[in-house]
Amino acid sequence: YNCNNICSLAEIDKMVVEKYAVLNHKPALMRAYKRAIKEEDKNDGWVHKKAFKSLLGYLFYFNKIYWIFDEVNGDDRRMTFPEFKKCLTLAGVQMSESDAKKEFNSIDKNGGGMVLFDEFCAWFASKSCPACLTELVG
């Protein structure tokens, strides 16, 4: 917005809200932003011009994951094992009950029986990520 070839999180949020409302899911936006700034050599919290294209790809990718997550779990932002199985179905993943339980338990590091969106994103991206994003999102 200020033509300095760098974007703050606030500027990215403003762009999404004003121009791409369909992508306006804050958990997905945060995940995309964090991945984009990870690409930067400067490590200053800004998305620079060279990472902006990646940011756009991440916005679409993580919003799709958010849609799957939100579709089965509602508003509490935590996923139970039955909801995880529904997510697998929505994503077209076929997995036995025991394998699904192993995967869920590997995501649920503290053993509390709940998986957060960020944890689900990391797991999903490590299992089913487009080749162009594989090394950057996991």
Side-chain angles (χ1 to χ4, degrees):
Y1 285 97
N2 57 13
C3 299
N4 63 356
N5 288 323
I6 57 175
C7 295
S8 68
L9 176 58
E11 289 172 317
I12 296 163
D13 184 54
K14 181 177 171 61
M15 175 193 73
V16 168
V17 169
E18 291 179 359
K19 297 187 185 279
Y20 307 102
V22 73
L23 301 176
N24 188 18
H25 301 101
K26 299 307 184 221
L29 178 105
M30 282 302 300
R31 184 82 176 166
Y33 166 75
K34 287 178 182 178
R35 286 298 165 199
I37 63 172
K38 216 175 190 183
E39 289 183 24
E40 300 289 351
D41 299 331
K42 295 167 182 57
N43 198 19
D44 59 4
W46 297 88
V47 176
H48 294 257
K49 190 174 182 178
K50 76 174 192 165
F52 191 75
K53 183 177 177 183
S54 295
L55 170 72
L56 296 177
Y58 297 144
L59 279 170
F60 282 97
Y61 184 73
F62 289 121
N63 268 280
K64 179 61 175 181
I65 296 173
Y66 181 82
W67 179 84
I68 293 168
F69 185 89
D70 191 55
E71 190 68 24
V72 301
N73 98 326
D75 293 332
D76 69 355
R77 307 283 169 121
R78 299 175 297 167
M79 180 188 306
T80 62
F81 177 64
E83 291 168 337
F84 177 71
K85 291 191 310 185
K86 289 178 188 174
C87 277
L88 294 176
T89 300
L90 273 176
V93 176
Q94 296 195 358
M95 192 178 292
S96 71
E97 178 91 7
S98 63
D99 287 345
K101 189 65 175 167
K102 286 178 193 171
E103 291 294 332
F104 182 83
N105 290 338
S106 75
I107 303 166
D108 180 21
K109 304 274 188 237
N110 68 358
M114 298 284 190
V115 170
L116 301 175
F117 173 69
D118 203 48
E119 296 169 322
F120 181 69
C121 267
W123 175 82
F124 192 90
S126 74
K127 300 294 181 183
S128 176
C129 188
C132 63
L133 299 175
T134 300
E135 294 192 14
L136 299 173
V137 298

